Amino acid sequence: MNKIRLFKPSVGKEELNSIKKVFSRSWLGYGPLVNKFEKKFAKFIGTKYAVGVNSGTAALHLALLCNNFSKGKKVLVPSITFSATAASVLYCGLTPKFVDIKKEDLTIDFKDLKKKYTKDCVALICVHMGGHPSMMEKIKPWAKKKRLLLIEDSAETCGSIYKGKKIGTWSDISCFSFEEKKIITTGDGGMICLSDKKKYEKLKSLSFHGWNLDPWKRYQKSFGKKNRFTKYWAYEIENLGFKYNMNDFMAAVGLEQLKKINFFNKKRIKILKKYLNGIKNLKYIKPTYPYNLKNSSYWLFSIKTKFRNELANYLKSKNISTAVHFIPLPLNKIYKKYNNKSLKNSMTIWKQILSLPFFPDLENKKIDYVIKCLKNFDNKMNKKQ
Ligand SMILES: *Cc1c(COP(=O)(O)O)cnc(C)c1O
């Protein structure tokens, strides 16, 4: 069997044709397609606005930055997440306060969240780990009571519905990633979704040098009679902004991917069903998440086993890629000083988890092969014990 990848973006002739049109229009940067993609994406998620950026990391950075929190304040973040969740906190001169996760689904532990909260906390970032929704029905009212800005890091899910409500609409601001491995891709890219108009305008500006007009709007102002007597060429630098904008190449791909998103999520569900059915009788290998497939958008197929390292090596020898999502952040060099001793679940569960090949175009015969290898491994361990 050829090497089986862990992730693979699903792009085709639709995306390619869309890029060709950008070529012939010869407006490659911040152009009309960015605005179009933002509108369509906001509509898809169900927020009033969306701001396209060049990564999920940039989305998280700006989502925190636009609130002008004073330096040194604390932001609650789960201890198991992708590094950018906590990096965004440090970018803003704020301090991450790590909260333990639940062993059953790797999302933030509500009990520990309440324990870790102190008066100097200004925001909370919930992560829908692996695409599994955090307990938003409990977190949202609690965060409101504590006057915390609530951010959803939705980088690992797109289009899922939790308790009748789209993921991305449970919070004040939600951040998505279109990095090549994520649910939909624009190569690299991200989106900030929200319904607050003032913050939306600020985010637009922050994502493009802090200007009050993006280049496409200025270009449009430069034509037509209506604006003949205005200083169409003028813009004001209102904020210390960043060069974080999405461009028309990315938006061209994103618009096509958005058309396919329900199909992608359906395929993911189908593959998960096959995997879960295949491993259901194994003794030493269990699913990491309590996969609830209805209206889901899972990014990871992850299993847990006490023989994690052995299994990873075994699958490597069988040409199957695996990875660990994720090593707890406080175990990493730059986050050590924010470790707070009471992250018990994180520190044990991460040693057992392993992500297996999972993407919409994964063929049945490859899934069968992975399942067969998992069964062989389980048998081997059974005999050893
Ligand atoms: C991928 C990811 C990000 C960052 O997204 P990029 O587009 O790669 O910058 C942030 N948070 C989580 C949870 C992620 O999985």
Side-chain angles (χ1 to χ4, degrees):
M1 182 69 76
N2 287 335
K3 194 167 159 42
I4 303 180
R5 288 170 66 162
L6 193 56
F7 302 110
K8 189 163 158 258
S10 180
V11 286
K13 57 179 189 306
E14 298 81 9
E15 285 81 1
L16 204 54
N17 284 334
S18 192
I19 289 175
K20 276 187 192 153
K21 282 185 203 150
V22 178
F23 252 85
S24 35
R25 194 185 302 117
S26 214
W27 188 288
L28 317 183
Y30 196 154
L33 294 187
V34 174
N35 290 312
K36 190 172 169 194
F37 184 37
E38 287 173 343
K39 284 209 174 78
K40 292 232 157 134
F41 194 80
K43 190 157 182 236
F44 174 73
I45 294 299
T47 53
K48 278 195 189 143
Y49 310 104
V51 179
V53 286
N54 56 17
S55 72
T57 305
L60 285 164
H61 180 191
L62 297 188
L64 265 179
L65 189 73
C66 73
N67 305 283
N68 290 325
F69 292 129
S70 25
K71 300 268 177 281
K73 293 285 183 192
K74 299 205 167 89
V75 179
L76 297 148
V77 284
S79 46
I80 290 191
T81 177
F82 183 66
S83 62
T85 315
S88 69
V89 178
L90 294 183
Y91 294 161
C92 295
L94 302 164
T95 306
K97 187 141 186 191
F98 289 113
V99 181
D100 207 3
I101 50 91
K102 286 181 283 164
K103 268 187 176 167
E104 306 78 58
D105 65 10
L106 309 193
T107 67
I108 201 159
D109 181 15
F110 188 53
K111 267 192 244 135
D112 196 49
L113 179 61
K114 288 191 280 190
K115 260 191 235 158
K116 297 280 161 71
Y117 169 83
T118 47
K119 283 232 159 73
D120 55 352
C121 291
V122 289
L124 158 62
I125 309 180
C126 284
V127 182
H128 305 301
M129 254 310 294
H132 193 84
S134 304
M135 294 171 93
M136 300 312 290
E137 79 283 11
K138 290 201 171 154
I139 293 165
K140 187 183 152 91
W142 176 83
K144 194 171 175 203
K145 214 170 71 194
K146 299 289 182 197
R147 295 169 189 270
L148 292 169
L149 175 88
L150 180 57
I151 296 177
E152 280 173 281
D153 180 342
S154 310
E156 300 185 1
T157 188
C158 198
S160 51
I161 298 170
Y162 177 64
K163 298 202 181 281
K165 207 168 144 55
K166 259 278 172 55
I167 286 293
T169 62
W170 282 89
S171 53
D172 299 301
I173 306 182
S174 184
C175 299
F176 291 86
S177 166
F178 308 136
E179 195 252 357
E180 69 157 354
K181 300 187 278 301
K182 300 294 168 69
I183 304 290
I184 58 168
T185 187
T186 57
D188 273 308
M191 197 70 91
I192 313 166
C193 290
L194 75 170
S195 291
D196 180 319
K197 187 162 187 238
K198 273 216 169 94
K199 273 188 192 163
Y200 160 71
E201 280 162 1
K202 177 129 191 224
L203 286 167
K204 267 282 203 189
S205 163
L206 285 173
S207 72
F208 195 77
H209 305 295
W211 297 4
N212 65 347
L213 270 183
D214 71 54
W216 179 252
K217 281 206 192 103
R218 217 148 45 88
Y219 171 74
Q220 283 174 312
K221 269 181 95 175
S222 71
F223 289 98
K225 280 186 185 157
K226 218 164 68 188
N227 298 307
R228 206 159 21 151
F229 302 111
T230 59
K231 291 188 212 164
Y232 63 86
W233 37 264
Y235 58 85
E236 182 156 17
I237 308 160
E238 295 179 324
N239 301 292
L240 177 60
F242 294 82
K243 181 65 174 74
Y244 276 174
N245 65 284
M246 184 175 272
N247 66 39
D248 264 27
F249 277 131
M250 297 153 106
V253 175
L255 280 162
E256 293 308 314
Q257 290 270 294
L258 194 55
K259 290 181 197 161
K260 301 179 180 179
I261 193 164
N262 291 330
F263 171 72
F264 287 160
N265 283 331
K266 274 192 194 131
K267 280 194 97 175
R268 285 179 176 273
I269 289 172
K270 226 169 137 184
I271 295 168
L272 280 173
K273 273 190 186 150
K274 194 167 164 65
Y275 264 138
L276 293 171
N277 190 47
I279 66 162
K280 68 170 187 260
N281 295 322
L282 301 191
K283 189 163 174 206
Y284 295 107
I285 299 172
K286 301 285 175 199
T288 301
Y289 297 94
Y291 286 98
N292 186 351
L293 297 180
K294 193 163 177 252
N295 295 320
S296 69
S297 167
Y298 279 101
W299 178 57
L300 294 177
F301 173 56
S302 172
I303 57 87
K304 54 186 171 187
T305 172
K306 59 177 173 175
F307 306 111
R308 198 269 311 275
N309 293 349
E310 292 93 325
L311 178 60
N313 287 336
Y314 176 77
L315 293 177
K316 185 167 183 279
S317 76
K318 300 290 173 194
N319 262 341
I320 297 168
S321 316
T322 63
V324 175
H325 296 97
F326 296 99
I327 300 172
L329 290 182
L331 293 181
N332 290 273
K333 198 168 161 190
I334 73 157
Y335 293 110
K336 269 203 180 106
K337 65 175 172 190
Y338 307 105
N339 199 348
N340 59 51
K341 307 284 176 275
S342 52
L343 301 165
K344 224 175 84 207
N345 293 338
S346 311
M347 296 306 170
T348 47
I349 196 74
W350 85 269
K351 293 179 185 157
Q352 301 175 19
I353 54 178
L354 194 66
S355 303
L356 303 178
F358 183 44
F359 48 85
D361 293 339
L362 187 59
E363 301 103 314
N364 276 331
K365 68 173 198 302
K366 289 191 176 164
I367 304 168
D368 288 332
Y369 173 72
V370 175
I371 292 171
K372 193 183 88 189
C373 292
L374 291 173
K375 281 183 176 161
N376 286 344
F377 180 84
D378 197 69
N379 263 332
K380 250 178 35 174
M381 289 301 138
N382 234 339
K383 279 185 199 136
K384 258 197 196 165
Q385 296 298 305

